[in-house]
Each structure stands twice: as C-alpha cells, then as structure tokens.
Amino acid sequence: MANLVTLLCKAGVLVALLLSVVLSACFGPATGGLGNVPFKSTLPLRVLLLTAHPDDEVMFFSPTIFELLARNITVISLCLSTGNADGLGEIRRNELSHSLDVLGIGAANGIVLDHPQLQDNISLAWHPEIIASVLLQPVLSYNINAILTFDSYGVSGHPNHASLPAGASHLLRNMTMDKRPSLYSLRSMSRLAKFTGPMSIVTGGLFPPIILSSYSTTTTVTRYLTSLKAMAQHRSQLVWFRYLYVLFSRYMFVNEWNEVLSAL
Ligand SMILES: *[C@@H]1O[C@H](CO)[C@@H](O)[C@H](O)[C@H]1NC(C)=O
Ligand SMILES: *[C@@H]1O[C@H](CO)[C@@H](O)[C@H](O)[C@H]1NC(C)=O
Ligand SMILES: *[C@@H]1O[C@H](CO)[C@@H](O)[C@H](O)[C@H]1NC(C)=O
C-alpha cells in the first residue's frame, strides 16, 4: 500500500513537472508583478518574511522569495516558532536553515524564535502584542522596509498563521511614519482555487484582483524545481500528502499579495 502511494506520487510528480514545463513554455517566463510594488522608501530594499513554522517559507512563499532574490532584494526570514507541536522543534529548526540555503535566502538571514507564548499549536491563536514585541527588534536592526506574511485566514486556516498580520499591524501602528515598513499579506484562496497546481499560472488571470493594491508573482520551471529541493530539506514533514501538496498547491506556483493599509 505504502509502495503504491509512493509510486502514484512519483507518477504525479512527473505529470505535474511535464505540465508546468508545457505551461511555462506556452506562457513565457515569469513576469513577477511584485517588482511593481510601490515599496516605500529608499534602496536598498530589505524585506522581512514573517512565518509561523519551518516549511511555511517553501510551501506558501517560494515564488515570491525567488522573485525578490532575483531582484537583489535582501530577504530576512523570521519564523516565530520551531514547529514543536510533535516534539520535533530542534530537528525542524535545522531543516529550515537548510531550506533557506537552498532557496537562496541563506541560513545566516534566518531567525527562528522559541517563545513560550508563540508555540506551534493548531488550536491556539497568538497574541498580537506578543508578536509585535518580538518583531520590533529585527525590523529595526535589519532596517526592514517591507514585511510579507499571511493574511487573516492564513491560507490553511491555521490560527498561528492567521495571527501574524494582526501582530505585524500592531507593531506598525506603534512606529513612527519614517521607520514604518509597508505590510503585505498573502491572499488566501478559496478551496477550489487553492489546488490548481501548475494550472494556477494560467488561471491566475481568471481570478482578477478584487482589491486595488494587489500584486502577484509567478514561478518558473527552474524556480519550482528549486522549491521542491527546498521542501525536501524538511525531511521530518515529508508525509505522503505533502507530495500531493507540492504538486497541486497554487502557492507553490503563484503568490497573490494585498497591501495592508487598514488603520495605519
Ligand atoms: C544583482 O547583483 C548581481 C551581483 O552584484 C549582479 O550581477 C546582478 O546584475 C544584479 N541583478 C539585478 C536584477 O540587479
Ligand atoms: C495546544 O493548546 C491547547 C489549548 O490551549 C492545549 O490544550 C494543548 O495541550 C496544546 N498542545 C500542545 C501540543 O501544546
Ligand atoms: C510601543 O512602543 C513602545 C516603545 O517603543 C513600547 O514601550 C510600547 O509598549 C509599545 N506599545 C505597544 C502597544 O506595542
């Protein structure tokens, strides 16, 4: 049974790869829209990617990471937990540093916190004030001009993900205009749109932006293959459904962003 599943997954990987090759050939190289984002302020841009658990960076944000790095934008990865829900925190911390190396961010630009009130837990929302308090120091010390994170649904509905934008907003409200970074949230898709896999590159156009400030970034075949390699670093997480995820999840292929302007 396990062998059959593995075999099916491998066949699926091949099909998805073929599909993405064909689609990319048809639709040309990625034209990452994030380059048009009116990032406030002066160069050099320094972006903070705010995640909840090791592997979020690959599973949800890789198309954007590649695009930012290709534009020589410094990316700092701040992961608020070690992902210790199953007691694998230290292993996962290590997997994340390998993944950051593969993605091109570099382990040296990764920070992983292990705060008692920000623990990996599928039934806990994290408090915005605590998130804001741990964000302040990295935002100031790295001179961050933009924070990228989940939106208030958090893609999968995981309350740890969903807590992040409110925490970031809380911080920004408490910063003076001149130091305040802009904040972008990754748009959560409906269940149907979430699993369009490589087709997302095509269907991207069928789900037009509904909010004024919105941007999208698409992967390429080479980038997609690199993201598979980064996902492979998260060895402790490679259960069978993650193979399906990397094939069919829209977020491995396209990221759509909204700028968070509310109440700032
Ligand atoms: C990024 O930096 C490298 C090395 O400094 C340079 O060769 C490359 O042209 C730069 N790319 C962009 C898009 O600015
Ligand atoms: C997650 O939080 C719930 C509710 O506070 C708690 O009962 C549970 O023990 C926590 N799980 C872990 C793994 O810490
Ligand atoms: C705002 O920042 C100040 C110092 O920078 C801090 O003392 C205060 O607790 C912060 N307030 C909130 C709501 O985070």
Side-chain angles (χ1 to χ4, degrees):
M1 185 58 197
N3 280 342
L4 183 64
V5 169
T6 315
L7 196 70
L8 284 177
C9 289
K10 282 182 180 159
V13 171
L14 275 178
V15 169
L17 285 181
L18 275 175
L19 253 179
S20 57
V21 170
V22 170
L23 290 175
S24 307
C26 295
F27 292 89
T31 47
L34 203 65
N36 305 323
V37 168
F39 280 127
K40 205 183 294 182
S41 89
T42 48
L43 296 164
L45 289 173
R46 303 178 70 89
V47 168
L48 184 91
L49 176 67
L50 175 63
T51 58
H53 314 115
D55 76 13
D56 289 350
E57 80 290 353
V58 192
M59 290 177 62
F60 308 117
F61 299 102
S62 48
T64 301
I65 292 172
F66 292 125
E67 185 61 28
L68 293 172
L69 294 175
R71 292 167 191 269
N72 283 343
I73 293 172
T74 303
V75 180
I76 306 294
S77 155
L78 174 60
C79 182
L80 292 194
S81 84
T82 61
N84 198 37
D86 301 316
L88 297 173
E90 285 315 302
I91 291 169
R92 298 191 66 188
R93 182 200 285 274
N94 200 34
E95 290 171 346
L96 174 57
S97 73
H98 289 120
S99 165
L100 293 180
D101 278 338
V102 171
L103 290 171
I105 291 177
N109 281 341
I111 307 163
V112 182
L113 301 184
D114 188 9
H115 186 288
Q117 282 162 290
L118 302 173
Q119 288 295 309
D120 178 10
N121 189 325
I122 194 136
S123 49
L124 280 187
W126 290 341
H127 201 289
E129 264 175 45
I130 295 172
I131 296 172
S133 71
V134 299
L135 261 175
L136 180 65
Q137 196 265 336
V139 163
L140 293 182
S141 65
Y142 287 98
N143 268 317
I144 296 299
N145 358 51
I147 299 175
L148 308 188
T149 193
F150 292 103
D151 68 7
S152 58
Y153 183 69
V155 174
S156 57
H158 195 304
N160 297 167
H161 298 175
S163 303
L164 298 182
S169 298
H170 191 85
L171 172 73
L172 300 197
R173 274 197 295 274
N174 198 22
M175 291 179 82
T176 55
M177 239 355 196
D178 57 322
K179 294 222 176 83
R180 184 187 291 168
S182 17
L183 174 61
Y184 298 89
S185 63
L186 179 67
R187 197 179 325 150
S188 296
M189 298 315 244
S190 68
R191 196 158 296 175
L192 183 67
K194 216 185 306 196
F195 294 106
T196 46
M199 287 301 291
S200 318
I201 294 169
V202 187
T203 59
L206 300 180
F207 296 93
I210 44 164
I211 299 179
L212 199 59
S213 19
S214 96
Y215 312 92
S216 78
T217 304
T218 309
T219 198
T220 64
V221 175
T222 333
R223 292 175 182 183
Y224 178 68
L225 292 176
T226 309
S227 63
L228 292 184
K229 195 174 160 209
M231 192 62 206
Q233 308 307 308
H234 294 283
R235 210 160 295 162
S236 70
Q237 305 303 305
L238 295 180
V239 288
W240 66 271
F241 56 82
R242 293 250 154 63
Y243 289 95
L244 296 181
Y245 178 90
V246 300
L247 292 178
F248 295 110
S249 169
R250 180 183 187 85
Y251 303 95
M252 293 289 293
F253 299 89
V254 177
N255 285 160
E256 282 118 318
W257 293 96
N258 293 325
E259 185 169 9
V260 179
L261 303 160
S262 57
L264 289 182

